Amino acid sequence: MRRFLTVLLFAAIGPGAQAQRLDPDDYIYPIRDVARLYAANFGEIRPAHFHAGVDIKTDGAEGKPLVAVADGYVSRVSLTAGGYGRAVYLTLRNGTTAVYGHLQRFRDDIEEHVRQERTARRANSVNLWFGPEAWPVKQGDVIGFSGNSGSSMGPHLHFEIRDTPTQRLYNIVREGVIRPEDNLPPRIMRLHYVEVDTLQGVPVRSRMESYAVVREAEGRYRLTREEPVDVGRKGISWPKSPTAATACTTRSASGASRLRLTASPISNTAWTASPTTCRAAATP
């Protein structure tokens, strides 16, 4: 009986074992000869999803060398008209997968193999998988060159790190693998509020209300109105917070933080924003 319970215990905790932290020392920077500026952050809000990975600017040019961030092998290459365009997936020895998107071209031997496969299949798009013996790479090896392919609005590298067994994304900024220079704190501009419920299983919501706020101190805000705001039991509020980092020239439309409110009215006394972590959706 004790052995049976032990097996159940390990089965229960097994799925959570993936939540290990990355060691930034395992990785090098994925691209050479750039100023290390960024076009999009991990988890940035998009019209239908949160942004997966980090977009690294390539100084307005294509053809910057992309390098293997750690030892491993090329396990997948894909070429599509949309999405990541030309993309390379590296399965790394440390249990993670590195994804490089929007390439101009693969390195010469891989590019030639892709050309042959497209010709043989009479297809413009291909999605090719490889074992460890086909294209092994050492940390620092060139695997391709940056570009503007797929659903890209300008030259840049889309870079991700995933857990190999589950393909779940790591927040590589939080993990310290990518370290953007950032000394500009976010500022909350307004507070939005909406009631969310279901009607016979169909999601419904009230009309969104919006309130101006005043910053009293770093991280502390209050409503400009004097009257409390009545909220319901299933109300959700979130701050509108255009953010920018020192190393970024773009701004997100609104902060990904969200504040859950109780049924008590929101007063105009000071409150502190408390962001929650958002999970981005990986693109296949």
Side-chain angles (χ1 to χ4, degrees):
M1 183 64 179
R2 181 178 299 174
R3 181 179 300 175
F4 178 69
L5 291 176
T6 301
V7 171
L8 284 180
L9 176 62
F10 277 100
I13 66 176
Q18 176 269 325
Q20 67 211 32
R21 300 302 298 269
L22 300 182
D23 184 354
D25 293 334
D26 284 351
Y27 305 90
I28 62 173
Y29 205 68
I31 183 170
R32 296 177 184 166
D33 305 331
V34 295
R36 301 196 180 190
L37 301 176
Y38 302 90
N41 199 357
F42 180 91
E44 183 176 298
I45 293 178
R46 297 294 172 84
H49 64 280
F50 292 114
H51 182 245
V54 169
D55 286 352
I56 303 172
K57 288 178 175 285
T58 55
D59 306 330
E62 299 185 33
K64 301 297 179 76
L66 307 178
V67 297
V69 291
D71 293 351
Y73 64 96
V74 176
S75 54
R76 178 185 174 191
V77 296
S78 63
L79 193 161
T80 60
Y84 291 167
R86 271 181 162 83
V88 174
Y89 298 72
L90 302 185
T91 296
L92 307 177
R93 291 182 181 176
N94 59 17
T96 63
T97 298
V99 181
Y100 304 70
H102 307 304
L103 277 66
Q104 179 193 64
R105 67 187 191 279
F106 308 114
R107 75 184 192 194
D108 290 346
D109 52 348
I110 299 177
E111 184 73 29
E112 176 59 22
H113 181 80
V114 171
R115 187 192 67 79
Q116 293 176 3
E117 287 290 335
R118 293 174 68 192
T119 300
R121 301 179 186 208
R122 298 184 177 182
N124 287 323
S125 299
V126 291
N127 187 24
L128 308 175
W129 299 79
F130 307 98
E133 69 287 343
W135 312 103
V137 293
K138 291 289 187 181
Q139 187 179 63
D141 287 352
V142 174
I143 59 171
F145 300 87
S146 68
N148 188 32
S149 61
S151 300
S152 175
M153 304 302 291
H156 73 283
L157 168 66
H158 176 92
F159 180 70
E160 305 172 10
I161 292 180
R162 304 177 182 179
D163 174 69
T164 297
T166 64
Q167 289 296 290
R168 292 182 63 177
L169 288 158
Y170 283 100
N171 183 338
I172 53 179
V173 176
R174 183 186 63 192
E175 296 289 336
V177 176
I178 297 293
R179 298 184 179 90
E181 181 185 355
D182 183 11
N183 54 24
L184 300 176
R187 296 292 176 87
I188 297 176
M189 310 300 293
R190 299 186 68 84
L191 183 70
H192 300 310
Y193 177 77
V194 67
E195 293 278 344
V196 180
D197 206 340
T198 58
L199 181 62
Q200 295 182 343
V202 179
V204 295
R205 65 177 179 85
S206 66
R207 183 175 181 179
M208 186 181 72
E209 300 176 12
S210 182
Y211 306 97
V213 301
V214 173
R215 187 173 74 100
E216 292 193 329
E218 194 62 54
R220 288 181 60 83
Y221 297 82
R222 66 175 177 83
L223 301 182
T224 57
R225 56 180 283 163
E226 295 297 328
E227 308 83 10
V229 177
D230 291 329
V231 299
R233 296 180 60 187
K234 297 184 179 181
I236 295 177
S237 72
W238 66 97
K240 179 181 179 182
S241 177
T243 58
T246 308
C248 296
T249 57
T250 58
R251 291 173 177 266
S252 61
S254 63
S257 305
R258 185 173 65 176
L259 302 176
R260 290 193 175 274
L261 305 178
T262 65
S264 303
I266 308 174
S267 70
N268 64 350
T269 56
W271 44 271
T272 303
S274 178
T276 58
T277 301
C278 294
R279 180 179 300 163
T283 299

